[in-house]
Amino acid sequence: MELEGMAGWAEETEEPEKESPPATCWDKFHTTISNWMLPTDLRDKYLERANCLPPPIFIISISITELAVFIYYAVWMPQKQWITLDTGVWDSPFIYRPDKREQAWRFISYMLVHAGVQHIIGNLLLQLFLGIPLELVHKGHRIGLVYLAGVIGGSLASSIFDPYLALVGASGGVYALIGGYFMNVIVNFKNMVPLFGIFRILVIVVIVGTDVGFALFRRYISKVAGPKVSFVAHFAGGLAGMSIGYTVFSSFDKNLIKDPRFWICIAAYAAFLIFAALFNIFLSPAP
């Protein structure tokens, strides 16, 4: 009897198991991001250290800068309208122009200038929708590397394959993010719920198809007055993303410097840069 009483007392004094705290909005937010951006085996590691510090400074800063430049040219420069920018943009020191390609900064600064409302809105929505989650996972220095690789690759490719046309817009950088994300979806497809993987691929295809369609419309069909601009940067940025971007985004929580794939991509990209520079100096048919 005494033993039974002691056993009963022990059962009564056992502490109840502590319940885990309910998930907060931020927890649900980061869980959603991990589901969209990372394969299954890396999600727990991300969630252990998930926070918004540092915040997605790069993609927000570049978006604000692009919007500010667009507003400046739409409101205060000669055309004074918003639908399709003309004279002010053409005379901008930022735009890439084949007759001014000796001004090397234009191969990067063209990303700050956009051709019209639909152009700026499309690029901003795409890079914020995809860039913010990517930057929360991979941080600003990696996102900046991929974005700028697409921007520079886009302008250099345009100078080779569309040498007589000007170039505006951040599509090269945006498509670099899309290309890197797309490759990760394809490679990690087997780790996803099939319908979820298919949905992500379809979203990318619809977005890219719509944006490229508008670019082709502006180039070949639109009767709006003003200089035509190249769309080659879309494809070149996508290729940069599918190579450099894929390597960067698939190396979550790893040191890129120790990844041989990263150096292979960098070597190939450097070879392209050298070829493009020599082409523009010695072989370009543009004035």
Side-chain angles (χ1 to χ4, degrees):
M1 294 292 293
E2 186 176 347
L3 290 174
E4 291 178 0
M6 292 179 63
W9 178 81
E11 290 176 2
E12 291 176 1
T13 56
E14 285 181 0
E15 292 185 3
E17 293 184 4
K18 293 183 179 180
E19 295 183 0
S20 57
T24 65
C25 292
W26 280 115
D27 293 333
K28 295 177 181 178
F29 174 68
H30 284 294
T31 299
T32 301
I33 287 177
S34 68
N35 289 338
W36 276 91
M37 298 297 160
L38 292 169
T40 306
D41 58 334
L42 295 176
R43 292 172 190 167
D44 289 340
K45 187 175 293 185
Y46 168 73
L47 292 173
E48 286 175 3
R49 64 181 195 181
N51 56 57
C52 290
L53 297 175
I57 294 175
F58 174 80
I59 205 69
I60 291 177
S61 299
I62 203 70
S63 298
I64 291 173
T65 304
E66 289 165 4
L67 181 60
V69 171
F70 175 79
I71 292 173
Y72 171 76
Y73 282 105
V75 175
W76 285 289
M77 293 305 287
Q79 66 275 352
K80 292 188 179 297
Q81 51 86 32
W82 290 73
I83 304 302
T84 300
L85 307 188
D86 186 7
T87 308
V89 167
W90 184 252
D91 294 333
S92 169
F94 298 131
I95 186 176
Y96 169 76
R97 286 173 50 176
D99 60 325
K100 294 185 179 295
R101 63 186 184 280
E102 72 278 0
Q103 298 173 352
W105 71 83
R106 291 177 181 262
F107 285 92
I108 300 177
S109 63
Y110 79 93
M111 71 179 181
L112 301 176
V113 185
H114 289 78
V117 171
Q118 79 282 3
H119 196 198
I120 183 73
I121 290 178
N123 277 345
L124 289 182
L125 288 178
L126 282 173
Q127 68 188 31
L128 290 172
F129 176 74
L130 187 58
I132 287 178
L134 281 172
E135 189 166 345
L136 286 172
V137 172
H138 299 284
K139 305 308 178 186
H141 63 289
R142 293 192 176 197
I143 298 301
L145 171 65
V146 175
Y147 190 90
L148 292 176
V151 168
I152 298 171
S155 57
L156 288 174
S158 181
S159 71
I160 295 172
F161 297 105
D162 229 347
Y164 295 108
L165 292 187
L167 185 64
V168 294
S171 295
V174 173
Y175 273 71
L177 300 181
I178 294 175
Y181 179 69
F182 177 76
M183 284 297 294
N184 273 279
V185 172
I186 296 296
V187 171
N188 297 307
F189 187 84
K190 62 183 179 181
N191 295 326
M192 306 174 195
V193 177
L195 287 178
F196 185 48
I198 293 171
F199 173 74
R200 291 205 282 186
I201 292 174
L202 286 177
V203 168
I204 295 172
V205 170
V206 169
I207 289 174
V208 170
T210 302
D211 189 60
V212 171
F214 273 118
L216 293 173
F217 173 81
R218 288 194 301 267
R219 170 70 184 277
Y220 295 111
I221 301 176
S222 176
K223 302 300 182 182
V224 177
K228 297 290 184 180
V229 295
S230 175
F231 61 88
V232 174
H234 293 71
F235 301 104
L239 289 175
M242 294 172 74
S243 53
I244 294 176
Y246 165 68
T247 303
V248 171
F249 297 157
S250 64
S251 298
F252 172 76
D253 207 32
K254 295 179 182 177
N255 190 341
L256 277 176
I257 304 301
K258 298 180 180 180
D259 190 337
R261 298 176 305 165
F262 176 72
W263 291 110
I264 292 172
C265 290
I266 291 297
Y269 190 80
F272 166 71
L273 294 182
I274 293 171
F275 170 78
L278 294 175
F279 177 89
N280 276 279
I281 295 172
F282 300 110
L283 301 175
S284 177

